[in-house]
Amino acid sequence: MKTFLTITLALFISLYSFSQLETRGQVSGTVTSKLMPIEGATIQLFRLVDQKILRMVVSNKEGAFVVPQVDFGTYSILVTAVGYKNFSIDKMDLSSSTPRITKSIILEAITKSLKDVTVSVKRPLIEQKPGKTLINVEASATNAGLNALELLEKSPGVSVDKDGNISLQGKSGVMVLIDGKPTYLSGADLASFLRNVQSNNLDQIEIMTNPPARYDAAGNSGIINIKTKKITIKGMNGSLSTTYTQGIYARFNSSLNLNYRKDKLNVFGSYGHNYSEGFNNLVITRNFYKADKKTIAGTSDQVTRPHFTRESHNVKAGFDYNLSKRDIIGFVVNGSISNGAENPTGRINVRDASGKITYSLNTINDNHSRFVNVSSNANFKHTFDSSGRELTADLDYARYERNDNTLMHTETYNGYGTRSGMDLALKGLIPSDINIYSIKTDYVHPLSKTFKFESGLKSSLVNTDNQVDYSRYDGTSWKVDDRSNQFIYKEAIHAGYVTTSKSWKRLNVTAGLRLEHTNSNGMQVRNDSSFTRRYTNLFPNLGIGMDLNEKHQLNFSYSRRVDRPNYGDLNPFVYFLDSLTYGQGNPYLQPQFTNKAELSHTFRRIVTTTLNYSRTNNVITQLLKQDTEKKITYQTTDNVNSMEQIGVAVMMNSPVTKWWNTNVYLNLYKNHYEGKYQADPIDIQFSTFVANVTNSFTLPKGWAVEVSGFYRSRAAEGLLVAGPMWAVNSGISKQAFKKKGSFRLGVRDIFFTQRFNGYARYSDVDVRIASSRDSRQASLSFTYRFGKNNISPARKKAGGAGEEQNRVNSGGSN
């Protein structure tokens, strides 16, 4: 540890020392059109000898730009802006005699009829901004045909495990938002939801490792905000997309987006349809020990092959209306219907200590699920003056209905392979209803040009009613099984926050404090047991940014965050994979709390190095428990004592030439879990290396190529140790129909290496798991944009439902 900190400190000191070297030269100027400044123009500086791009800056509100500390030499400049013709300067000489060059650049507007012009802006795949990382979905050809979960798998710093659980920088507990609104989902159900969200409906993925106090305190590792497309153009506009994907099985998805803007009114809507089919080969081996937990008493080996189909329909509609120049109201509603079926078949061999089979079980499941979701948001915004003082308010309501039914049939064989005993037949009906209400208001008050105050209040109410009805066939009729249950859970969270930010010439400081009071109670109706919990917590947040000079910037942040148990994890229900393997909830789960600090350094605004440390107490994690005598293993969620993480990450996003851009993300971290299981100590720690590399090539005549891949070494995912994993992806795209259309062909996991293997070993638990799914796929996608193309910015609106949406279990597990 001391060596690690010494090396890191030396790195920062050396970089700072390097920053003190004498600067060479500077290129500056203004970008205007008809004496009007142009904000947001892109100025690219190229080295003339090899046309390698050195710097890229953007003009400010006055049209001014500065490219500082440029080595003496000969350069060219390219200036681009939406709606204007490109402008270039072919040759400029910086030398000791001419160390500073100032240019007044006047751009010529495109005068061609707008109906014949499609305005398009090429955005980089990854943008690094203070406190966040942005992934522009359409900038990658290999994103065509993917769903949101698959996009997250290839995003820098994000990992997705075999069950679809999401972690950020090696830590679980990620809060996932859609357009700034929580999804109300978690775990396998969040994974199921994200698999139904297609890339052709998405605009950006925003990753925040240390969000400010105005966000809910949930998400101990950070927040991922998935932004859907919302057209920002006047008149009638839209886009149509369709994708065909082929792996072992085929997938289809299509979407239609429409937008109409005129005067004070903006109306928008979208529809998407998705059909998918797939499989998962799952192999589980277990060792069972005697009382000494060292001598093997027996083993079991299990092979399960789930095959599934899913079909979903998603609808979104809404409007914004300007009541006046200072007041705007909006309303949006989202709805989805998803139907799924899964028919896993499996065989378990139970063996004695010598490896001889004592008995075997063959299990066939027939599972069907239906998931219906409707969420709505009404919002209001009042702007007091031109300084940015404003008041916003949000009302949210969401309802989730889930209906699952399952039929499991198990045959028993003795050690000689002969049928023995009576077959087991179990059927279950598992309905769930969840209603969530939220009200939120935020106030922003700039006290000066460099000092701003923010505050807000929020209240949310959650009501869940979950039921499971099992029946067992006794050879003549169906009888009610004693594992049937009903669980009712209610939760109210009331929160308030204040944030202040102050900026100086080279220093920016943001400090915030959030207070949250939680009142919850749960009741198991059929065995008449209940619990009540009340707790109040403070969550401070601090961010400090310093510009040492034009080459070097430092940022420090600290925050305290919380993760409350997911609603589904609190349900004490039993969900069967087979007769000896099942999952079960835990109504006694407690919230976990995390303290996190980050220090980052940015060099030339291209390379960012981040050192992070966090400690989580009362860690919520999935773990395996077992009954050695009955050879039964089940998965549940429990609180482990603590988890500590230290890590360093390097992010580089840089154009190599005019036509080649590369993004590199490297992360080295160590997770250390400590706690107890059945009075036995748990001590699991691993250092993990993650690499994510994307190369994008822009070719002539509208062609583009991408080659990307990732690697992750062995890692501790909770109490499960996952083996190494890697994959390579490639894609190509072509613009067509005067840039209104585009074709994309992509291949994921070319070498079919994205397979999971891992193990859990603590106390008397000794399990190894291996799984593979339909990960090698080829996708062909077509997108066509239609309508007018005169740019007019639309309001970006996020709802205020809070972190509750991240905690619902309401979908399938595939």
Side-chain angles (χ1 to χ4, degrees):
M1 178 68 72
K2 291 182 178 179
T3 302
F4 177 78
L5 292 175
T6 301
I7 293 173
T8 303
L9 182 61
L11 172 65
F12 281 107
I13 292 174
S14 62
L15 288 175
Y16 180 76
S17 299
F18 181 68
S19 71
Q20 307 308 307
L21 295 177
E22 181 183 359
T23 58
R24 295 302 186 188
Q26 175 178 291
V27 178
S28 62
T30 57
V31 183
T32 61
S33 176
K34 295 182 179 180
L35 302 181
M36 295 293 293
I38 298 177
E39 180 185 4
T42 300
I43 298 92
Q44 299 179 68
L45 182 69
F46 296 89
R47 191 163 58 195
L48 193 63
V49 64
D50 56 6
Q51 284 300 295
K52 179 180 179 180
I53 186 169
L54 296 184
R55 291 291 297 274
M56 183 168 59
V57 298
V58 177
S59 61
N60 62 18
K61 292 182 179 180
E62 289 74 36
F65 69 90
V66 178
V67 186
Q69 299 191 5
V70 181
D71 293 336
F72 292 157
T74 305
Y75 300 92
S76 63
I77 278 184
L78 175 65
V79 182
T80 60
V82 175
Y84 297 90
K85 294 181 179 180
N86 293 349
F87 180 91
S88 61
I89 300 175
D90 295 333
K91 186 177 181 181
M92 297 184 310
D93 291 314
L94 276 178
S95 63
S96 57
S97 59
T98 314
R100 295 178 180 271
I101 296 178
T102 301
K103 294 290 185 180
S104 296
I105 298 171
I106 301 176
L107 299 186
E108 181 182 352
I110 298 175
T111 58
K112 194 175 180 180
S113 174
L114 287 172
K115 69 179 181 178
D116 297 325
V117 177
T118 298
V119 180
S120 60
V121 181
K122 175 66 174 178
R123 295 189 295 179
L125 175 62
I126 298 176
E127 297 180 70
Q128 188 74 38
K129 296 189 176 183
K132 68 180 69 174
T133 301
L134 298 177
I135 294 95
N136 295 304
V137 175
E138 286 195 334
S140 168
T142 61
N143 288 343
L146 302 189
N147 58 51
L149 191 67
E150 292 167 333
L151 288 173
L152 291 178
E153 281 183 316
K154 55 183 291 191
S155 297
V158 181
S159 298
V160 181
D161 70 11
K162 65 180 182 63
D163 297 317
N165 298 308
I166 301 168
S167 60
L168 184 57
Q169 290 184 341
K171 289 186 62 182
S172 60
V174 181
M175 182 178 177
V176 178
L177 312 178
I178 303 291
D179 290 328
K181 293 170 57 62
T183 58
Y184 292 104
L185 302 170
S186 60
D189 304 313
L190 175 61
S192 179
F193 174 80
L194 293 177
R195 287 188 181 103
N196 290 325
V197 178
Q198 300 303 306
S199 62
N200 50 19
N201 290 324
L202 302 182
D203 179 42
Q204 282 184 329
I205 296 176
E206 184 180 31
I207 301 172
M208 294 176 280
T209 57
N210 205 343
R214 70 175 298 159
Y215 288 95
D216 292 320
N220 82 89
S221 63
I223 290 177
I224 296 176
N225 184 24
I226 301 174
K227 298 180 179 181
T228 61
K229 291 179 180 177
K230 187 174 181 182
I231 301 173
T232 60
I233 302 171
K234 285 184 178 180
M236 175 63 74
N237 307 272
S239 65
L240 177 66
S241 298
T242 184
T243 302
Y244 172 79
T245 302
Q246 182 66 58
I248 302 298
Y249 298 97
R251 299 182 181 186
F252 309 89
N253 66 75
S254 57
S255 66
L256 174 66
N257 291 274
L258 296 172
N259 194 92
Y260 178 75
R261 290 176 59 83
K262 184 177 181 181
D263 300 328
K264 298 181 177 182
L265 180 66
N266 178 49
V267 181
F268 54 89
S270 64
Y271 166 75
H273 171 259
N274 173 55
Y275 173 83
S276 61
E277 185 175 1
F279 71 90
N280 181 21
N281 288 333
L282 180 65
V283 179
I284 303 175
T285 58
R286 303 177 179 90
N287 289 330
F288 300 100
Y289 294 91
K290 294 182 179 181
D292 61 5
K293 300 178 183 177
K294 295 180 180 179
T295 305
I296 293 181
T299 64
S300 72
D301 49 86
Q302 171 184 353
V303 178
T304 302
R305 295 183 175 88
H307 170 266
F308 65 87
T309 59
R310 288 190 300 266
E311 185 173 22
S312 64
H313 302 267
N314 302 278
V315 179
K316 177 180 179 179
F319 71 88
D320 293 324
Y321 184 77
N322 291 275
L323 299 173
S324 66
K325 291 183 178 179
R326 295 186 175 182
D327 299 285
I328 184 171
I329 60 172
F331 180 79
V332 61
V333 60
N334 292 272
S336 65
I337 299 176
S338 177
N339 293 288
E342 183 184 34
N343 56 349
T345 60
R347 181 179 180 88
I348 300 178
N349 297 315
V350 179
R351 305 172 186 269
D352 60 21
S354 68
K356 181 181 178 181
I357 295 178
T358 57
Y359 65 90
S360 301
L361 301 176
N362 282 357
T363 300
I364 300 175
N365 286 279
D366 187 14
N367 303 322
H368 296 268
S369 63
R370 180 177 176 83
F371 173 48
V372 180
N373 156 237
V374 177
S375 62
S376 59
N377 166 261
N379 53 79
F380 168 77
K381 176 181 176 182
H382 173 71
T383 303
F384 292 92
D385 50 43
S386 60
S387 69
R389 187 160 66 101
E390 63 183 33
L391 176 69
T392 59
D394 288 271
L395 291 172
D396 287 87
Y397 168 72
R399 177 176 176 83
Y400 292 83
E401 296 180 7
R402 167 186 169 180
N403 286 281
D404 291 349
N405 59 77
T406 180
L407 177 62
M408 182 177 70
H409 183 267
T410 302
E411 302 170 345
T412 304
Y413 295 82
N414 60 26
Y416 300 99
T418 305
R419 291 278 290 271
S420 63
M422 185 178 67
D423 291 355
L424 169 66
L426 185 72
K427 66 179 179 181
L429 179 63
I430 311 172
S432 175
D433 292 324
I434 301 175
N435 290 276
I436 301 177
Y437 310 84
S438 173
I439 181 172
K440 182 174 87 83
T441 181
D442 296 284
Y443 175 67
V444 179
H445 191 152
L447 300 174
S448 68
K449 291 183 178 180
T450 60
F451 187 32
K452 184 169 66 174
F453 171 81
E454 297 181 58
S455 64
L457 298 170
K458 178 194 167 183
S459 289
S460 63
L461 177 65
V462 179
N463 294 322
T464 76
D465 187 351
N466 309 274
Q467 191 167 334
V468 56
D469 292 314
Y470 281 121
S471 299
R472 183 183 296 272
Y473 190 69
D474 64 2
T476 58
S477 61
W478 291 95
K479 304 293 184 182
V480 175
D481 188 83
D482 58 7
R483 282 166 289 203
S484 298
N485 205 340
Q486 183 179 8
F487 179 71
I488 296 175
Y489 180 77
K490 296 183 179 181
E491 179 184 83
I493 301 177
H494 307 289
Y497 76 91
V498 292
T499 298
T500 59
S501 58
K502 172 68 175 176
S503 62
W504 291 269
K505 185 176 181 179
R506 292 183 177 271
L507 181 67
N508 295 278
V509 178
T510 300
L513 183 65
R514 186 178 184 90
L515 181 145
E516 293 188 353
H517 173 75
T518 305
N519 186 0
S520 63
N521 61 81
M523 179 176 62
Q524 297 184 54
V525 175
R526 300 192 181 180
N527 62 5
D528 195 25
S529 66
S530 62
F531 65 85
T532 299
R533 299 192 183 107
R534 294 183 177 89
Y535 49 93
T536 303
N537 302 102
L538 289 173
F539 301 97
N541 185 289
L542 175 66
I544 302 174
M546 179 181 296
D547 290 331
L548 301 179
N549 51 45
E550 290 297 330
K551 287 186 178 180
H552 300 274
Q553 293 81 41
L554 287 177
N555 287 279
F556 172 80
S557 63
Y558 163 79
S559 65
R560 183 174 188 258
R561 305 191 66 79
V562 64
D563 276 301
R564 300 175 180 87
N566 300 326
Y567 309 130
D569 288 339
L570 291 167
N571 294 348
F573 298 165
V574 174
Y575 302 93
F576 287 94
L577 178 63
D578 53 55
S579 299
L580 299 182
T581 312
Y582 59 88
Q584 184 172 10
N586 179 5
Y588 305 107
L589 281 173
Q590 300 288 332
Q592 68 178 25
F593 295 90
T594 299
N595 288 279
K596 181 177 183 179
E598 286 188 353
L599 176 65
S600 66
H601 168 267
T602 300
F603 176 65
R604 291 186 180 271
R605 306 187 188 276
I606 294 176
V607 180
T608 299
T609 304
T610 302
L611 178 68
N612 67 279
Y613 172 82
S614 67
R615 181 177 177 85
T616 303
N617 294 319
N618 222 22
V619 176
I620 299 173
T621 187
Q622 291 185 343
L623 73 160
L624 298 173
K625 295 185 176 182
Q626 68 183 29
D627 185 326
T628 300
E629 182 179 350
K630 296 181 180 180
K631 304 296 189 294
I632 292 176
T633 302
Y634 66 97
Q635 179 176 287
T636 188
T637 306
D638 212 336
N639 293 102
V640 179
N641 185 38
S642 67
M643 194 276 273
E644 188 178 52
Q645 183 193 78
I646 186 168
V648 61
V650 178
M651 166 85 78
M652 184 186 74
N653 180 25
S654 174
V656 181
T657 65
K658 284 185 177 181
W659 50 271
W660 178 10
N661 193 84
T662 185
N663 297 278
V664 178
Y665 176 83
L666 307 175
N667 187 199
L668 176 64
Y669 62 87
K670 180 180 181 180
N671 286 348
H672 186 188
Y673 291 87
E674 289 184 296
K676 287 189 176 182
Y677 169 77
Q678 295 182 349
D680 293 324
I682 294 175
D683 191 335
I684 299 175
Q685 52 184 311
F686 278 100
S687 296
T688 302
F689 174 71
V690 176
N692 191 307
V693 180
T694 301
N695 289 283
S696 302
F697 306 93
T698 302
L699 305 180
K701 298 183 179 181
W703 289 91
V705 175
E706 180 195 312
V707 179
S708 63
F710 78 91
Y711 170 80
R712 188 208 64 201
S713 67
R714 191 168 55 166
E717 297 180 353
L719 304 188
L720 181 69
V721 178
M725 182 184 295
W726 62 280
V728 175
N729 313 310
S730 183
I732 187 169
S733 64
K734 174 69 169 71
Q735 294 182 343
F737 306 111
K738 298 182 180 179
K739 297 185 179 181
K740 290 186 176 182
S742 61
F743 291 92
R744 297 169 182 261
L745 175 65
V747 182
R748 294 185 66 244
D749 193 12
I750 296 173
F751 303 105
F752 199 27
T753 52
Q754 198 169 343
R755 305 183 184 191
F756 176 86
N757 67 86
Y759 66 89
R761 180 69 177 97
Y762 48 86
S763 186
D764 62 343
V765 174
D766 188 355
V767 178
R768 290 189 174 274
I769 302 171
S771 67
S772 62
R773 54 190 174 89
D774 200 2
S775 59
R776 180 163 58 186
Q777 301 168 351
S779 297
L780 179 62
S781 175
F782 173 70
T783 300
Y784 184 77
R785 296 169 293 276
F786 53 87
K788 297 182 178 179
N789 296 281
N790 46 313
I791 301 298
S792 178
R795 183 171 69 129
K796 297 291 186 180
K797 185 70 194 83
E803 56 93 14
E804 302 76 24
Q805 286 184 326
N806 263 15
R807 298 167 53 213
V808 177
N809 289 72
S810 26
S813 60
N814 292 305

